Amino acid sequence: MTSASPDIPNCGGLPAAVSAFADAFVDFAVSGIFFPTNPPPPLPATPAATFLPAPSRLVAIGDLHGDLPKSLAALRLAGLLPPANSPESSPTSTSWSAGPTLAVQLGDILDRGGDELRLLYFLRRLSISAAAQGGALLPILGNHEVMNVCGDFRFVTQQGLQEFSSWAGWYRAGLAIKRRCGDLEPPKNPFLGVPKTYPGIRREFWDGIRSRVAALRPDGPIARRFLADLPTVLVVGDSVFVHGGLLEANVEYGLERINAEVSDWIRGERGDNARAPEYVCGRDAVVWLRRFSEGFNCDCERLQGVLGMIPGAKRMVMGHTIQSEGITAVCGAQAVRVDVGLSKGCGNGLPEVLEINGAGSQVRVITTDPAEAWMYRKQKPERAPAALEKNGEVKDGLALLVRESHALKGVEAKA
């Protein structure tokens, strides 16, 4: 504990209360959500479990991409939230309504939409509510979470930058409150060392980019709080959940080892500018692979071999690759693809979720009621006003704002 400067007031022996107030103030200002005043113990410096037993009911939800209204529709469709027309329902309700259900969200919460932070806060608050009811909501990491931790913002929207700029203002206010309490340890300033200028990008977006780097770089406050404890691969009963897919080398390396090392990287234990682990980078990485999720000519023999390396595994459930006709399965339902392009930023697909019951023996797709589907069909996907196509590459999101998209493939902050 540091001694208070004569110019800084002492908090009367209540530094923890002052710090908690500042955190609650920032949380509510950013998300409109209050977290419990008696939360569970702090998360250990290790990732969540990689292998979990089969629950009585298991649900899988695909990519969300910064679209809070459509995400709420998917959560209600899965029965995780009360129906929209029920007395218990409200736009900000975080009341879990699914009892002991275990729900897995397949990653890609970030990018392509303007509700990224609100989604992160909402899902974390709902997971706390689920745990209190004997259930669980377990997001996993997608390639877009990895990209953002790396400072790769090619698929960020202007609204996404504005949301992080707003967060930065409130976060700085929270830091100022804590600094007024002389008997608190000086809070870490995540903005130190982050560049203030970004040549090639319009000046009006600089603050949003800087705020995003500060929040999401390794050991950044948003990365540490909302991403560092998420698994990259999760095995629940006989179902393997992974954003992109697994190959033999990944299983041989060790699924628990992958989760632990990715978690360490996001937590900043490898350094603020450490490179991402190799198995989350590149075409065949676990968050990028499309070998088992693209089209219907899947290499079923290879998939069966990979599953055979994981004791008891019968299916691989993946996101990442949009299934424009809804959730699909190939290879005798050993490969199940649940990314329906839900977000208005990448398809505005009809909400669908996967349900697995009977310890894996009963698998079905829950789809939007036809009476409600018209609401989504009449909404056009949100596209950039003038997508730029050059040398066969279609750019969208923030990549439209830069002369060369490689300028956004990684922002380095000085330690």
Side-chain angles (χ1 to χ4, degrees), residues 175-208:
L175 291 178
I177 292 172
K178 293 180 181 181
R179 291 190 185 114
R180 296 295 299 166
C181 186
D183 42 2
L184 271 176
E185 290 287 345
K188 181 178 180 180
N189 184 351
F191 303 95
L192 291 178
V194 179
K196 295 183 179 181
T197 62
Y198 298 89
I201 301 175
R202 296 208 301 264
R203 184 180 293 268
E204 64 196 90
F205 301 116
W206 287 3
D207 183 68

Side-chain angles (χ1 to χ4, degrees), residues 23-41:
D23 291 338
F25 166 75
V26 174
D27 285 348
F28 187 76
V30 172
S31 67
I33 293 174
F34 279 119
F35 282 75
T37 55
N38 54 340

Side-chain angles (χ1 to χ4, degrees), residues 65 108 110-113 143-144 147-148 152-161 201 205 212 288 290 322 343-348 381-390 392-409:
H65 279 305
D108 277 9
L110 298 178
D111 285 344
R112 301 188 185 276
N143 62 303
H144 284 265
M147 290 169 70
N148 275 270
D152 184 341
F153 300 152
R154 284 172 290 165
F155 298 95
V156 174
T157 65
Q158 295 182 29
Q159 294 81 7
L161 291 179
I201 301 175
F205 301 116
R212 200 170 180 104
W288 283 98
R290 297 188 193 272
I322 294 176
S343 170
K344 283 189 286 187
C346 60
N348 197 33
E382 295 177 352
R383 305 290 296 179
L388 174 64
E389 185 167 358
K390 181 179 179 181
E393 178 188 6
V394 178
K395 299 181 180 181
D396 61 5
L398 193 57
L400 286 167
L401 309 177
V402 239
R403 297 188 187 97
E404 295 295 338
S405 63
H406 64 73
L408 289 167
K409 290 184 179 179

Side-chain angles (χ1 to χ4, degrees), residues 93-309:
S93 172
T94 56
S95 177
W96 180 263
S97 62
T101 296
L102 190 158
V104 179
Q105 191 280 316
L106 270 293
D108 277 9
I109 299 166
L110 298 178
D111 285 344
R112 301 188 185 276
D115 301 326
E116 299 163 279
L117 280 170
R118 281 176 287 178
L119 257 176
L120 287 172
Y121 273 90
F122 186 90
L123 294 174
R124 180 54 57 92
R125 181 62 184 88
L126 185 60
S127 71
I128 294 172
S129 176
Q133 300 294 324
L137 172 59
L138 304 175
I140 66 175
L141 293 171
N143 62 303
H144 284 265
E145 283 72 54
V146 171
M147 290 169 70
N148 275 270
V149 177
C150 290
D152 184 341
F153 300 152
R154 284 172 290 165
F155 298 95
V156 174
T157 65
Q158 295 182 29
Q159 294 81 7
L161 291 179
Q162 291 164 1
E163 190 184 33
F164 274 82
S165 285
S166 177
W167 165 83
W170 291 116
Y171 194 84
R172 288 188 179 99
L175 291 178
I177 292 172
K178 293 180 181 181
R179 291 190 185 114
R180 296 295 299 166
C181 186
D183 42 2
L184 271 176
E185 290 287 345
K188 181 178 180 180
N189 184 351
F191 303 95
L192 291 178
V194 179
K196 295 183 179 181
T197 62
Y198 298 89
I201 301 175
R202 296 208 301 264
R203 184 180 293 268
E204 64 196 90
F205 301 116
W206 287 3
D207 183 68
I209 295 172
R210 184 169 191 253
S211 301
R212 200 170 180 104
V213 172
L216 290 168
R217 62 169 166 166
D219 197 32
I222 296 299
R224 173 175 279 272
R225 181 176 181 185
F226 295 109
L227 304 180
D229 62 319
L230 303 186
T232 305
V233 185
L234 182 64
V235 181
V236 183
D238 59 6
S239 299
V240 180
F241 295 93
V242 60
H243 183 71
L246 293 176
L247 295 177
E248 298 88 347
N250 307 133
V251 183
E252 290 172 353
Y253 189 81
L255 304 185
E256 292 174 313
R257 186 179 176 188
I258 288 175
N259 284 346
E261 293 181 1
V262 174
S263 178
D264 286 347
W265 166 63
I266 296 176
R267 195 172 280 110
E269 295 181 8
R270 297 181 168 208
D272 289 348
N273 285 308
R275 294 180 61 86
E278 62 178 334
Y279 30 79
V280 291
C281 300
R283 179 175 296 180
D284 285 342
V286 297
V287 296
W288 283 98
L289 189 72
R290 297 188 193 272
R291 192 180 300 267
F292 306 127
S293 61
E294 199 165 48
F296 290 89
N297 295 320
C298 183
D299 188 346
C300 297
E301 184 176 352
R302 187 167 190 184
L303 171 65
Q304 189 173 16
V306 174
L307 289 173
M309 298 173 67

Side-chain angles (χ1 to χ4, degrees), residues 31-73:
S31 67
I33 293 174
F34 279 119
F35 282 75
T37 55
N38 54 340
L43 292 167
T46 56
T50 301
F51 295 88
L52 296 173
S56 57
R57 180 174 184 252
L58 177 59
V59 168
I61 300 170
D63 306 26
L64 303 179
H65 279 305
D67 190 331
L68 182 58
K70 293 293 292 293
S71 299
L72 294 177

